[in-house]
Amino acid sequence: MASDIATSLKIERKPKLSETVVAAIRKQLQGGGIQPGQKLPTEGQLTETFGVSRTVIREALAKLAADGLVEPRQGAGVFVTEHISTMFGTLAADMGSKDSIALNVLEVRLAIEIESAGLAAIRRNAAQEAAIQEAFFEFERLLLNSEPTGPADLAFHRAIASATNNPFYVEMLDVLGRRAIPCDVTSPWSTELAQSDAYQRGLQGEHLVILNAIMTGDAESAREAMRAHLTASQQRYRERLHARQNFYADSVKAAATE
């Protein structure tokens, strides 16, 4: 009982400002926007670019340096590591491992949430219906404000599970916890370096189909909408896992020839 209360009181941690800076610079490095050996902008320039303090920038640079992605040179500035492809190959392997976990989680969610959507369409009461809608619109608000949507995403699925009026559906989602939403950038299980608004908008479109089916009491359509949503997520993670495995293999091969 005490552990249940502690779980219900837990507040989702928002990403630190320095983590946002780290994610943005990593994305530039991975996309080739900043090349190996290139000097990063000065602390003052980065402060203006990100609208944060120098302390935040220094913390972000320290994290990037600890990961081996950049190196400070006394009196010269901070430079991108020359062997950046190897560094990102290692990162790709780590993210690939998280993609594998995400696929396992989605397989479990398919077994649980397809039926929970159907039951929610039949059994929901007015308060439960309102909770599902509230989570949907909170996701929309966060998306419009470019804020992490993961907590609202989980709340949406959890509200549907609650609307089955079978507590074991909720309990199963709670066991998965923050692993249930692999694209939640605030989660240690996240498969993302930075949140993609386009990706999140696609998820919200799938959520809308689920929501409409539940609101109209169409159990079969609710099941199919949830199946389509989770199956599409599975396909996305399979494709990303394959791409990351290839990236890792290519980077290791490149490092071996240097």
Side-chain angles (χ1 to χ4, degrees):
M1 179 65 71
S3 61
D4 291 341
I5 295 173
T7 299
S8 67
L9 291 175
K10 186 175 72 174
I11 299 174
E12 295 289 346
R13 182 184 71 84
K14 291 185 177 181
K16 296 169 62 177
L17 291 173
S18 61
E19 292 172 349
T20 302
V21 174
V22 168
I25 295 177
R26 279 179 186 257
K27 190 174 182 179
Q28 284 288 308
L29 293 171
Q30 191 169 22
I34 306 176
Q35 295 296 318
Q38 184 176 340
K39 181 181 177 180
L40 291 183
T42 65
E43 281 187 9
Q45 290 170 327
L46 290 172
T47 295
E48 290 184 11
T49 298
F50 291 102
V52 296
S53 68
R54 284 179 181 266
T55 300
V56 170
I57 294 299
R58 287 169 186 161
E59 186 177 340
L61 293 176
K63 171 61 177 171
L64 291 166
D67 290 343
L69 300 177
V70 302
E71 54 182 0
R73 299 177 189 171
Q74 190 170 3
V78 179
F79 292 78
V80 179
T81 304
E82 291 287 352
H83 302 296
I84 194 73
S85 61
T86 304
M87 296 298 178
F88 271 117
T90 303
L91 178 62
D94 177 60
M95 299 305 282
S97 175
K98 290 180 178 178
D99 282 332
S100 295
I101 292 172
L103 284 167
N104 288 335
V105 168
L106 285 165
E107 189 172 272
V108 173
R109 289 181 61 193
L110 273 163
I112 300 168
E113 293 196 66
I114 291 173
E115 185 59 20
S116 74
L119 292 175
I122 299 169
R123 298 177 178 174
R124 75 199 185 284
N125 59 38
Q128 292 165 337
E129 184 173 303
I132 298 170
Q133 291 177 318
E134 182 180 349
F136 176 86
F137 287 116
E138 175 62 7
F139 186 111
E140 186 71 16
R141 184 190 70 78
L142 293 170
L143 187 57
L144 289 174
N145 291 334
S146 297
E147 297 179 47
T149 58
D153 194 339
L154 181 57
F156 177 75
H157 286 275
R158 196 176 186 281
I160 291 171
S162 180
T164 66
N165 289 301
N166 180 335
F168 291 107
Y169 280 103
V170 177
E171 186 174 318
M172 290 300 293
L173 271 185
D174 286 347
V175 167
L176 293 176
R178 299 178 73 188
R179 289 174 295 184
I181 310 297
C183 61
D184 177 7
V185 294
T186 70
S187 166
W189 300 96
S190 180
T191 60
E192 312 301 311
L193 295 175
Q195 178 168 290
S196 165
D197 286 347
Y199 183 86
Q200 296 297 318
R201 179 57 62 189
L203 294 181
Q204 183 70 328
E206 294 168 7
H207 288 165
L208 179 60
V209 180
I210 298 168
L211 175 65
N212 286 339
I214 291 175
M215 293 305 100
T216 57
D218 188 339
E220 193 53 40
S221 292
R223 291 187 183 97
E224 286 308 308
M226 185 65 80
R227 184 191 306 276
H229 172 50
L230 297 177
T231 301
S233 292
Q234 275 188 319
Q235 184 58 33
R236 286 188 285 262
Y237 283 109
R238 286 194 186 101
E239 291 171 356
R240 288 155 56 119
L241 177 59
H242 182 67
R244 281 170 171 160
Q245 288 172 335
N246 287 342
F247 185 92
Y248 180 63
D250 290 345
S251 66
V252 170
K253 187 183 298 183
T257 60
E258 291 177 355

